[in-house]
Amino acid sequence: MSKNLVIVESPAKAKTIEGFLGKDFTVRSSYGHVRDLKKKGIAVDVENDFEPEYEVSPDKKKVIQELKSLVKKSDIVWLATDEDREGEAISWHLEESLGLKDKETKRIVFHEITKNAIAKAIENPRSIDYRLVDAQQARRVLDRLVGFELSPILWKKVKPSLSAGRVQSVTVRLIVEREREIQNFKQETNYRVQAIFEIGGKSFKADLSKRFKEKDEAEAFLRACKDADFSVGDLEVKPAKKSPAPPFTTSTLQQEAGRKLGFSVARTMTVAQKLYEEGRITYMRTDSLNLSDQARNSAKAEIEKTFGPEYSKPRQFTTKAKGAQEAHEAIRPVDMGLKSVSGDSGAQRLYDLIYKRTLASQMADAQLEKTKVTVKADGSPDLDHGSFIGRGEVIKFEGFLKVYLESTDDEDDDKETEGLLPKMAKGDVLTYKSIIATQRFSNHPPRYSEASLVKKLEELGIGRPSTYAPTISTVQKRGYVVKEDRDGTPREYNVLSLQKGELTKEVKTENAGSEKAKLFPTDIGIVVNDFLVENFERILSYDFTASVEKQFDDIAAGQLKWNQMIKKFYSDFHPTVEQTLEHSERATGERELGIDPASQKPIIARIGRFGPMVQIGSPDDEEKPKFASLRADQSITSITLEEALDLFKLPRNVGVYEEQDIVAAVGRFGPYLRHKGAFYSIKEADGDDPMTIGEARAIEVIEAKRKADREKIIRIFDEDNSIQLLNGRWGPYLKAGKRNIRLPKDTDPKSLSYEDCLKLIEETPEKPKGRGRRTKK
């Protein structure tokens, strides 16, 4: 047995590192966190300096046993978990759980998994940094206190089974407030005038510097242009430059991968972690813009070799992020000579993005020539409404643009046009080809995408590189926020066109308000947010949440004791909890829609025990109120009286099949059919609607589900019917109780015996719930 045991947090990382170390080293994985706060109770001793009560996670007991056995056979244990606070905490929990002694334990860190980096780390070990451990411990304890005390309030005052989190609740607040801004937005309209002028057989576009409020004003201006004389009033040419964006931090990688690749923040981090563990990129949780001397020199050599020395401009960027954490390197390729990697398309595309961004950051500025032409108009007083301005841009030297240009979240599709301008001089006569006035509409504030939400959280100082992805995933898993595409609605707009002296008018139609992969608050998210903001305004304030992050930074720097910070927070927080439990009203988001024509009772939309619903009448009435669930595309904030009345037409009898009624209804999980005691989901995406579905289509839905169920089962074992071989979306698999186990490649599931399945279950480790992969899809 080797004398050195190296422990990392993920099997992939272990495999890569093992390839760099010799036979004297054994590398093993802890599969993420091995210890956490006890699941039962609050697990924090509030009366004893907030001492946390930890336990080895049930799924890690076997891992700890195996590691203890290896520790006994080793002279030195090297704790090689990630270099951030979370990684430091994993090392400490390993030290505690394994009973490691200081003289036999060494802590090593590295921000890239290469042979040189590992060797250098082995040469320069250190001890565990308990300041970083304390900072992580403070976050974990604080989040447990907040979640443990807030969640029961939500169960009692809003709806059972809800949960609240410190940073997650503030994130939901951002999304709810943006939705309210949109709902309260007053749209304005104006007329944008754009002309196409010609000179010497070439044309260019120019925008009028003024916009008209009314259609009549725009029409009067176009009529005045009929007989006007146009010429070049002024011509301004000046040099300009564009500089490259800095290399990636965690947040900018998440933003850019969202914009350019369409990745969610969770997918970005999953793919980046894989690239890191394979030794392709540096550590992917960082807020540093720094590049090492070696990295900059390597980039310089690659740029000069590929493009020439004039394209190289080595730079060192400085971090400006609010409350930046431990200074690592920016995210970059480990080897700048490696332009692409093997693997799935996601890994290839993300690596390409990181490679190009890093290379571009060390390249020369792009040199431009910007031209502005002001068009003079003579002939009528009605022309005194500003000037037509044409803008042009010529790239004189591409510089970094040869490789990469950063994307933006700007959704304004009404920008001034820039392009190449023909050669002209002041005083040259111009003729118009067309002058068009188009009705435009002001845009409401854009809804957040995952990328723009990360940017906002970073701007506010809320969260850190390790928390953005899990926070955004959590608010969606909890049902407070949904990410979805939404269709726009048809909108008419006026177009006035002047061509060859003729003025024409037409009404066109466009699709307005469509959304792609945007974040929307759900009804329950809105009601929970409003309740928490009303009763815990301080904890949900952006400044307070940012100040808590700053205190975590102070703990990591050794400037603040972690339990003193928790004590100060809890002394303000706990009395508010007790006050709210005792005195606050129930929150349902109740909204009266109108009167039911049949019963003359009020119809109310609100949050019920099973989610958004409408009801006729109140509990005080002699007759029991009637209830109906909202459909997936409906909201208690916007449902109309007519739409609510339609819901009470359900359940409806669709027809008869196999001598039993088919009933269509809407439940807590959406529209469905009920037949012979079984339930069959209706998918509105397939064009099915519980209000209109007919008997023939309902029978098709029932038979399709029965067929799928029959084909799903390959075999159920008589010895234990909880062990089943099934067909799934990704192929055959073994189901053992609540566990799903992938079958080895090229295995014929029909050939497996009961004993084969038991052996497969025993040989397959249970899925870790720790930090081997921090983000899950």
Short mmCIF file of all heavy atoms in Angstrom, two decimals, residues 178-225:
data_model
loop_
_atom_site.label_atom_id
_atom_site.label_comp_id
_atom_site.label_asym_id
_atom_site.label_seq_id
_atom_site.Cartn_x
_atom_site.Cartn_y
_atom_site.Cartn_z
N ARG A 178 -39.63 43.17 -10.54
CA ARG A 178 -39.52 43.46 -11.96
C ARG A 178 -40.87 43.19 -12.66
O ARG A 178 -41.28 43.96 -13.53
CB ARG A 178 -38.41 42.60 -12.57
CG ARG A 178 -38.25 42.73 -14.10
CD ARG A 178 -38.03 44.17 -14.58
NE ARG A 178 -36.93 44.84 -13.97
CZ ARG A 178 -35.68 44.82 -14.41
NH1 ARG A 178 -35.37 44.12 -15.49
NH2 ARG A 178 -34.73 45.51 -13.79
N GLU A 179 -41.57 42.12 -12.26
CA GLU A 179 -42.87 41.80 -12.86
C GLU A 179 -43.88 42.92 -12.57
O GLU A 179 -44.68 43.28 -13.42
CB GLU A 179 -43.38 40.46 -12.32
CG GLU A 179 -44.50 39.86 -13.14
CD GLU A 179 -44.09 39.46 -14.55
OE1 GLU A 179 -42.89 39.17 -14.77
OE2 GLU A 179 -44.96 39.45 -15.45
N ARG A 180 -43.81 43.48 -11.36
CA ARG A 180 -44.73 44.57 -11.01
C ARG A 180 -44.40 45.84 -11.81
O ARG A 180 -45.29 46.58 -12.21
CB ARG A 180 -44.66 44.85 -9.51
CG ARG A 180 -45.23 43.67 -8.69
CD ARG A 180 -46.13 44.15 -7.57
NE ARG A 180 -46.92 43.05 -7.06
CZ ARG A 180 -46.63 42.36 -5.95
NH1 ARG A 180 -45.55 42.67 -5.25
NH2 ARG A 180 -47.42 41.38 -5.55
N GLU A 181 -43.10 46.09 -12.01
CA GLU A 181 -42.70 47.22 -12.86
C GLU A 181 -43.32 47.07 -14.25
O GLU A 181 -43.80 48.04 -14.85
CB GLU A 181 -41.18 47.27 -13.00
CG GLU A 181 -40.41 47.81 -11.82
CD GLU A 181 -38.92 47.81 -12.11
OE1 GLU A 181 -38.48 48.49 -13.05
OE2 GLU A 181 -38.18 47.09 -11.40
N ILE A 182 -43.30 45.84 -14.75
CA ILE A 182 -43.84 45.58 -16.10
C ILE A 182 -45.35 45.77 -16.11
O ILE A 182 -45.90 46.38 -17.03
CB ILE A 182 -43.45 44.15 -16.54
CG1 ILE A 182 -41.93 44.07 -16.76
CG2 ILE A 182 -44.18 43.75 -17.82
CD1 ILE A 182 -41.39 42.66 -16.91
N GLN A 183 -46.02 45.26 -15.07
CA GLN A 183 -47.48 45.40 -15.00
C GLN A 183 -47.91 46.86 -14.89
O GLN A 183 -48.95 47.25 -15.42
CB GLN A 183 -48.02 44.61 -13.81
CG GLN A 183 -47.94 43.10 -14.00
CD GLN A 183 -48.24 42.33 -12.73
OE1 GLN A 183 -48.43 42.90 -11.65
NE2 GLN A 183 -48.30 41.01 -12.83
N ASN A 184 -47.12 47.67 -14.21
CA ASN A 184 -47.47 49.08 -14.00
C ASN A 184 -46.93 50.00 -15.10
O ASN A 184 -47.13 51.21 -15.06
CB ASN A 184 -46.94 49.57 -12.64
CG ASN A 184 -47.57 48.82 -11.48
OD1 ASN A 184 -48.73 48.41 -11.57
ND2 ASN A 184 -46.82 48.62 -10.41
N PHE A 185 -46.24 49.42 -16.07
CA PHE A 185 -45.61 50.22 -17.13
C PHE A 185 -46.67 50.84 -18.05
O PHE A 185 -47.60 50.17 -18.48
CB PHE A 185 -44.68 49.32 -17.95
CG PHE A 185 -43.98 50.02 -19.07
CD1 PHE A 185 -42.93 50.88 -18.83
CD2 PHE A 185 -44.38 49.82 -20.39
CE1 PHE A 185 -42.29 51.52 -19.87
CE2 PHE A 185 -43.75 50.46 -21.43
CZ PHE A 185 -42.70 51.31 -21.18
N LYS A 186 -46.54 52.11 -18.29
CA LYS A 186 -47.45 52.82 -19.20
C LYS A 186 -46.75 53.00 -20.54
O LYS A 186 -45.77 53.75 -20.65
CB LYS A 186 -47.82 54.20 -18.64
CG LYS A 186 -48.46 54.17 -17.25
CD LYS A 186 -49.78 53.44 -17.25
CE LYS A 186 -50.41 53.45 -15.84
NZ LYS A 186 -51.58 52.56 -15.77
N GLN A 187 -47.23 52.28 -21.53
CA GLN A 187 -46.57 52.31 -22.83
C GLN A 187 -46.84 53.62 -23.56
O GLN A 187 -47.95 54.14 -23.54
CB GLN A 187 -47.08 51.15 -23.68
CG GLN A 187 -46.26 50.93 -24.94
CD GLN A 187 -46.71 49.68 -25.68
OE1 GLN A 187 -47.79 49.66 -26.25
NE2 GLN A 187 -45.89 48.64 -25.65
N GLU A 188 -45.82 54.15 -24.17
CA GLU A 188 -45.94 55.37 -24.98
C GLU A 188 -45.60 55.03 -26.43
O GLU A 188 -44.87 54.08 -26.70
CB GLU A 188 -45.01 56.46 -24.45
CG GLU A 188 -45.38 56.93 -23.05
CD GLU A 188 -44.44 58.02 -22.54
OE1 GLU A 188 -43.42 58.29 -23.24
OE2 GLU A 188 -44.72 58.60 -21.48
N THR A 189 -46.14 55.84 -27.33
CA THR A 189 -45.89 55.59 -28.75
C THR A 189 -45.30 56.84 -29.40
O THR A 189 -45.53 57.97 -28.93
CB THR A 189 -47.20 55.18 -29.47
OG1 THR A 189 -46.92 54.90 -30.83
CG2 THR A 189 -48.24 56.27 -29.38
N ASN A 190 -44.52 56.65 -30.43
CA ASN A 190 -43.97 57.78 -31.20
C ASN A 190 -43.68 57.29 -32.62
O ASN A 190 -43.85 56.11 -32.93
CB ASN A 190 -42.71 58.35 -30.53
CG ASN A 190 -41.62 57.31 -30.37
OD1 ASN A 190 -41.24 56.64 -31.32
ND2 ASN A 190 -41.11 57.15 -29.15
N TYR A 191 -43.27 58.24 -33.44
CA TYR A 191 -42.98 57.90 -34.85
C TYR A 191 -41.50 58.17 -35.12
O TYR A 191 -41.02 59.29 -34.95
CB TYR A 191 -43.86 58.71 -35.79
CG TYR A 191 -45.28 58.19 -35.83
CD1 TYR A 191 -46.19 58.51 -34.82
CD2 TYR A 191 -45.71 57.34 -36.84
CE1 TYR A 191 -47.48 58.02 -34.83
CE2 TYR A 191 -47.00 56.83 -36.86
CZ TYR A 191 -47.88 57.18 -35.85
OH TYR A 191 -49.16 56.67 -35.86
N ARG A 192 -40.80 57.12 -35.52
CA ARG A 192 -39.38 57.22 -35.88
C ARG A 192 -39.29 57.40 -37.38
O ARG A 192 -39.91 56.66 -38.15
CB ARG A 192 -38.67 55.94 -35.46
CG ARG A 192 -37.22 55.89 -35.91
CD ARG A 192 -36.67 54.48 -35.74
NE ARG A 192 -35.28 54.39 -36.14
CZ ARG A 192 -34.61 53.27 -36.26
NH1 ARG A 192 -35.21 52.12 -36.01
NH2 ARG A 192 -33.34 53.26 -36.63
N VAL A 193 -38.50 58.38 -37.81
CA VAL A 193 -38.37 58.67 -39.24
C VAL A 193 -36.97 58.29 -39.70
O VAL A 193 -35.96 58.71 -39.13
CB VAL A 193 -38.63 60.17 -39.54
CG1 VAL A 193 -38.53 60.43 -41.05
CG2 VAL A 193 -40.00 60.59 -39.01
N GLN A 194 -36.93 57.46 -40.73
CA GLN A 194 -35.65 57.02 -41.29
C GLN A 194 -35.67 57.24 -42.80
O GLN A 194 -36.67 56.94 -43.47
CB GLN A 194 -35.39 55.55 -40.99
CG GLN A 194 -33.99 55.09 -41.40
CD GLN A 194 -33.73 53.64 -41.05
OE1 GLN A 194 -34.28 52.74 -41.69
NE2 GLN A 194 -32.90 53.40 -40.04
N ALA A 195 -34.58 57.80 -43.29
CA ALA A 195 -34.48 58.08 -44.73
C ALA A 195 -33.34 57.30 -45.35
O ALA A 195 -32.37 56.93 -44.67
CB ALA A 195 -34.26 59.57 -44.96
N ILE A 196 -33.49 57.00 -46.64
CA ILE A 196 -32.38 56.45 -47.42
C ILE A 196 -32.03 57.50 -48.48
O ILE A 196 -32.86 57.87 -49.32
CB ILE A 196 -32.76 55.12 -48.10
CG1 ILE A 196 -33.09 54.07 -47.04
CG2 ILE A 196 -31.63 54.63 -48.99
CD1 ILE A 196 -33.52 52.73 -47.59
N PHE A 197 -30.80 58.03 -48.37
CA PHE A 197 -30.32 59.05 -49.32
C PHE A 197 -29.34 58.42 -50.31
O PHE A 197 -28.68 57.43 -50.01
CB PHE A 197 -29.63 60.19 -48.57
CG PHE A 197 -30.56 60.99 -47.71
CD1 PHE A 197 -30.57 60.85 -46.32
CD2 PHE A 197 -31.43 61.92 -48.28
CE1 PHE A 197 -31.42 61.60 -45.53
CE2 PHE A 197 -32.29 62.67 -47.50
CZ PHE A 197 -32.29 62.50 -46.12
N GLU A 198 -29.25 59.05 -51.48
CA GLU A 198 -28.35 58.57 -52.52
C GLU A 198 -27.38 59.67 -52.93
O GLU A 198 -27.73 60.85 -52.98
CB GLU A 198 -29.13 58.11 -53.75
CG GLU A 198 -29.89 56.81 -53.52
CD GLU A 198 -30.53 56.27 -54.80
OE1 GLU A 198 -31.02 57.08 -55.61
OE2 GLU A 198 -30.52 55.05 -54.97
N ILE A 199 -26.15 59.23 -53.21
CA ILE A 199 -25.13 60.14 -53.75
C ILE A 199 -24.17 59.31 -54.59
O ILE A 199 -23.68 58.27 -54.15
CB ILE A 199 -24.37 60.91 -52.64
CG1 ILE A 199 -23.34 61.86 -53.24
CG2 ILE A 199 -23.72 59.96 -51.64
CD1 ILE A 199 -22.68 62.79 -52.24
N GLY A 200 -23.96 59.73 -55.85
CA GLY A 200 -23.04 59.04 -56.74
C GLY A 200 -23.41 57.58 -56.96
O GLY A 200 -22.51 56.73 -57.09
N GLY A 201 -24.70 57.27 -56.95
CA GLY A 201 -25.14 55.90 -57.20
C GLY A 201 -25.09 54.99 -56.00
O GLY A 201 -25.46 53.81 -56.08
N LYS A 202 -24.65 55.52 -54.86
CA LYS A 202 -24.61 54.72 -53.63
C LYS A 202 -25.56 55.32 -52.59
O LYS A 202 -25.83 56.52 -52.61
CB LYS A 202 -23.19 54.67 -53.07
CG LYS A 202 -22.23 53.91 -53.99
CD LYS A 202 -20.85 53.79 -53.36
CE LYS A 202 -19.91 52.98 -54.26
NZ LYS A 202 -18.57 52.84 -53.70
N SER A 203 -26.06 54.47 -51.70
CA SER A 203 -27.05 54.94 -50.73
C SER A 203 -26.57 54.72 -49.30
O SER A 203 -25.68 53.92 -49.04
CB SER A 203 -28.38 54.21 -50.94
OG SER A 203 -28.22 52.82 -50.76
N PHE A 204 -27.20 55.45 -48.37
CA PHE A 204 -26.94 55.26 -46.93
C PHE A 204 -28.19 55.64 -46.15
O PHE A 204 -29.05 56.39 -46.63
CB PHE A 204 -25.73 56.10 -46.48
CG PHE A 204 -25.95 57.59 -46.52
CD1 PHE A 204 -26.38 58.28 -45.38
CD2 PHE A 204 -25.73 58.31 -47.68
CE1 PHE A 204 -26.57 59.66 -45.41
CE2 PHE A 204 -25.92 59.68 -47.72
CZ PHE A 204 -26.34 60.36 -46.59
N LYS A 205 -28.29 55.08 -44.94
CA LYS A 205 -29.44 55.35 -44.08
C LYS A 205 -29.13 56.47 -43.10
O LYS A 205 -27.98 56.62 -42.67
CB LYS A 205 -29.83 54.10 -43.28
CG LYS A 205 -30.42 52.99 -44.13
CD LYS A 205 -30.78 51.78 -43.27
CE LYS A 205 -31.37 50.66 -44.14
NZ LYS A 205 -31.68 49.46 -43.34
N ALA A 206 -30.16 57.25 -42.77
CA ALA A 206 -30.01 58.33 -41.79
C ALA A 206 -31.30 58.44 -40.98
O ALA A 206 -32.39 58.30 -41.52
CB ALA A 206 -29.71 59.66 -42.49
N ASP A 207 -31.15 58.64 -39.68
CA ASP A 207 -32.30 58.75 -38.78
C ASP A 207 -32.54 60.20 -38.40
O ASP A 207 -31.58 60.94 -38.13
CB ASP A 207 -32.06 57.94 -37.50
CG ASP A 207 -31.99 56.45 -37.77
OD1 ASP A 207 -33.00 55.89 -38.20
OD2 ASP A 207 -30.90 55.84 -37.58
N LEU A 208 -33.82 60.61 -38.34
CA LEU A 208 -34.17 61.95 -37.90
C LEU A 208 -33.92 62.05 -36.41
O LEU A 208 -34.30 61.16 -35.64
CB LEU A 208 -35.64 62.25 -38.22
CG LEU A 208 -36.08 63.71 -38.02
CD1 LEU A 208 -35.41 64.63 -39.04
CD2 LEU A 208 -37.61 63.83 -38.10
N SER A 209 -33.29 63.13 -35.98
CA SER A 209 -32.91 63.27 -34.57
C SER A 209 -34.12 63.48 -33.65
O SER A 209 -34.01 63.31 -32.44
CB SER A 209 -31.92 64.43 -34.40
OG SER A 209 -32.47 65.62 -34.92
N LYS A 210 -35.26 63.85 -34.22
CA LYS A 210 -36.46 64.04 -33.41
C LYS A 210 -37.47 62.95 -33.73
O LYS A 210 -37.55 62.46 -34.85
CB LYS A 210 -37.08 65.41 -33.69
CG LYS A 210 -38.39 65.64 -32.93
CD LYS A 210 -39.04 66.94 -33.25
CE LYS A 210 -40.41 67.01 -32.55
NZ LYS A 210 -41.06 68.30 -32.73
N ARG A 211 -38.27 62.58 -32.72
CA ARG A 211 -39.39 61.64 -32.93
C ARG A 211 -40.70 62.39 -32.71
O ARG A 211 -40.78 63.28 -31.86
CB ARG A 211 -39.27 60.45 -32.00
CG ARG A 211 -38.00 59.66 -32.27
CD ARG A 211 -38.09 58.24 -31.77
NE ARG A 211 -36.89 57.48 -32.13
CZ ARG A 211 -36.77 56.19 -32.02
NH1 ARG A 211 -37.78 55.47 -31.55
NH2 ARG A 211 -35.67 55.56 -32.37
N PHE A 212 -41.70 61.99 -33.46
CA PHE A 212 -42.99 62.67 -33.38
C PHE A 212 -43.95 61.88 -32.49
O PHE A 212 -44.03 60.66 -32.57
CB PHE A 212 -43.61 62.82 -34.78
CG PHE A 212 -42.77 63.66 -35.70
CD1 PHE A 212 -41.99 63.06 -36.69
CD2 PHE A 212 -42.75 65.04 -35.58
CE1 PHE A 212 -41.22 63.82 -37.54
CE2 PHE A 212 -41.97 65.81 -36.43
CZ PHE A 212 -41.20 65.20 -37.41
N LYS A 213 -44.69 62.61 -31.67
CA LYS A 213 -45.66 61.98 -30.78
C LYS A 213 -46.91 61.53 -31.55
O LYS A 213 -47.48 60.48 -31.27
CB LYS A 213 -46.09 62.95 -29.67
CG LYS A 213 -45.04 63.16 -28.59
CD LYS A 213 -45.12 62.03 -27.57
CE LYS A 213 -44.19 62.29 -26.40
NZ LYS A 213 -44.15 61.11 -25.50
N GLU A 214 -47.33 62.35 -32.48
CA GLU A 214 -48.60 62.09 -33.17
C GLU A 214 -48.38 61.74 -34.64
O GLU A 214 -47.43 62.20 -35.28
CB GLU A 214 -49.51 63.32 -33.08
CG GLU A 214 -49.81 63.79 -31.66
CD GLU A 214 -50.58 62.75 -30.86
OE1 GLU A 214 -51.29 61.93 -31.49
OE2 GLU A 214 -50.46 62.75 -29.63
N LYS A 215 -49.30 60.97 -35.16
CA LYS A 215 -49.25 60.57 -36.56
C LYS A 215 -49.35 61.78 -37.49
O LYS A 215 -48.66 61.86 -38.51
CB LYS A 215 -50.40 59.59 -36.83
CG LYS A 215 -50.48 59.08 -38.27
CD LYS A 215 -51.68 58.16 -38.43
CE LYS A 215 -51.85 57.73 -39.88
NZ LYS A 215 -53.06 56.90 -40.06
N ASP A 216 -50.20 62.76 -37.12
CA ASP A 216 -50.39 63.96 -37.96
C ASP A 216 -49.09 64.74 -38.10
O ASP A 216 -48.80 65.28 -39.18
CB ASP A 216 -51.47 64.86 -37.35
CG ASP A 216 -52.85 64.21 -37.43
OD1 ASP A 216 -52.99 63.23 -38.18
OD2 ASP A 216 -53.77 64.68 -36.73
N GLU A 217 -48.31 64.81 -37.01
CA GLU A 217 -47.03 65.53 -37.06
C GLU A 217 -46.07 64.84 -38.03
O GLU A 217 -45.39 65.50 -38.83
CB GLU A 217 -46.39 65.58 -35.67
CG GLU A 217 -47.11 66.40 -34.63
CD GLU A 217 -46.40 66.35 -33.29
OE1 GLU A 217 -46.50 65.30 -32.61
OE2 GLU A 217 -45.73 67.32 -32.94
N ALA A 218 -46.00 63.52 -37.95
CA ALA A 218 -45.12 62.76 -38.83
C ALA A 218 -45.54 62.92 -40.28
O ALA A 218 -44.70 63.09 -41.19
CB ALA A 218 -45.13 61.28 -38.43
N GLU A 219 -46.86 62.91 -40.52
CA GLU A 219 -47.37 63.05 -41.88
C GLU A 219 -47.04 64.43 -42.44
O GLU A 219 -46.61 64.56 -43.61
CB GLU A 219 -48.88 62.82 -41.89
CG GLU A 219 -49.47 62.82 -43.29
CD GLU A 219 -50.96 62.51 -43.29
OE1 GLU A 219 -51.47 61.93 -42.31
OE2 GLU A 219 -51.61 62.86 -44.30
N ALA A 220 -47.20 65.47 -41.62
CA ALA A 220 -46.89 66.84 -42.07
C ALA A 220 -45.41 66.97 -42.43
O ALA A 220 -45.05 67.62 -43.43
CB ALA A 220 -47.26 67.84 -40.97
N PHE A 221 -44.55 66.32 -41.62
CA PHE A 221 -43.11 66.38 -41.91
C PHE A 221 -42.79 65.69 -43.24
O PHE A 221 -42.03 66.22 -44.06
CB PHE A 221 -42.33 65.72 -40.76
CG PHE A 221 -40.85 65.68 -41.00
CD1 PHE A 221 -40.06 66.80 -40.80
CD2 PHE A 221 -40.23 64.52 -41.44
CE1 PHE A 221 -38.70 66.77 -41.05
CE2 PHE A 221 -38.87 64.47 -41.70
CZ PHE A 221 -38.10 65.62 -41.49
N LEU A 222 -43.37 64.53 -43.47
CA LEU A 222 -43.11 63.81 -44.72
C LEU A 222 -43.61 64.60 -45.94
O LEU A 222 -42.95 64.62 -46.99
CB LEU A 222 -43.76 62.42 -44.70
CG LEU A 222 -42.79 61.26 -44.34
CD1 LEU A 222 -42.20 61.44 -42.96
CD2 LEU A 222 -43.52 59.91 -44.42
N ARG A 223 -44.76 65.26 -45.79
CA ARG A 223 -45.27 66.09 -46.91
C ARG A 223 -44.30 67.23 -47.19
O ARG A 223 -44.06 67.60 -48.35
CB ARG A 223 -46.65 66.64 -46.57
CG ARG A 223 -47.73 65.55 -46.54
CD ARG A 223 -49.14 66.15 -46.44
NE ARG A 223 -50.14 65.11 -46.28
CZ ARG A 223 -50.59 64.34 -47.27
NH1 ARG A 223 -50.12 64.49 -48.50
NH2 ARG A 223 -51.51 63.41 -47.03
N ALA A 224 -43.70 67.80 -46.13
CA ALA A 224 -42.74 68.90 -46.31
C ALA A 224 -41.47 68.42 -47.01
O ALA A 224 -40.76 69.20 -47.65
CB ALA A 224 -42.40 69.52 -44.96
N CYS A 225 -41.17 67.13 -46.86
CA CYS A 225 -39.95 66.56 -47.47
C CYS A 225 -40.11 66.34 -48.97
O CYS A 225 -39.11 66.13 -49.67
CB CYS A 225 -39.60 65.23 -46.80
SG CYS A 225 -38.96 65.40 -45.12
#
